[in-house]
């Protein structure tokens, strides 16, 4: 895995803009679970990730969508996703 400095010396941060969670069944501390997460789509200023939590029997217990963006700490405004990040996520997005 390639590590990159997306923070540009700490001036950019990833922020969650919104999320939606659907709980289909409870999950307890002793439950064995499997978590799946993947990129649904991305644009110039945001990306959408899906999260799925499965129980031991394969039952979907929780699903969530989260919208993530990058923000300049100096200007307190959204910034475009840096090209080095876009290059990393593009192969996994299903988008061209």
């Amino acid at each position: 895995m390639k590590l990159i400095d997306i923070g540009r010396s700490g001036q950019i941060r990833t922020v969650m803009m919104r999320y939606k969670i659907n709980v289909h069944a409870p999950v307890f501390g002793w439950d064995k679970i499997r978590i799946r997460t993947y990129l649904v789509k991305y644009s110039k200023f945001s990306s959408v990730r899906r999260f799925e939590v499965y129980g031991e029997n394969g039952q979907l217990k929780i699903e969530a969508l989260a919208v993530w963006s990058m923000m300049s700490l100096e200007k307190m405004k959204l910034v475009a996703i840096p090209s080095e990040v876009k290059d990393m996520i593009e192969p996994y997005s299903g988008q061209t």
Side-chain angles (χ1 to χ4, degrees), residues 32-48:
K32 291 183 180 181
I33 59 170
R34 181 175 57 91
I35 300 172
R36 180 177 182 230
T37 182
Y38 54 93
L39 182 66
V40 174
K41 66 178 180 175
Y42 74 94
S43 65
K44 182 176 180 178
F45 290 98
S46 66
S47 64
V48 178

Side-chain angles (χ1 to χ4, degrees), residues 11 20 30 45 59 75 91:
Q11 298 305 308
K20 180 180 180 182
W30 56 84
F45 290 98
Q59 174 193 15
K75 297 180 182 181

Side-chain angles (χ1 to χ4, degrees), residues 4-63:
I4 58 170
D5 178 14
I6 62 170
R8 293 199 176 99
S9 301
Q11 298 305 308
I12 296 176
R13 291 290 186 262
T14 303
V15 293
M16 184 185 296
M17 302 301 290
R18 68 180 155 260
Y19 60 91
K20 180 180 180 182
I21 300 173
N22 291 317
V23 178
H24 303 290
V27 176
F28 302 101
W30 56 84
D31 289 345
K32 291 183 180 181
I33 59 170
R34 181 175 57 91
I35 300 172
R36 180 177 182 230
T37 182
Y38 54 93
L39 182 66
V40 174
K41 66 178 180 175
Y42 74 94
S43 65
K44 182 176 180 178
F45 290 98
S46 66
S47 64
V48 178
R49 292 197 66 84
R50 181 176 173 89
F51 301 85
E52 300 169 345
V53 178
Y54 293 90
E56 196 169 6
N57 62 358
Q59 174 193 15
L60 177 62
K61 293 189 170 233
I62 300 171
E63 58 185 331

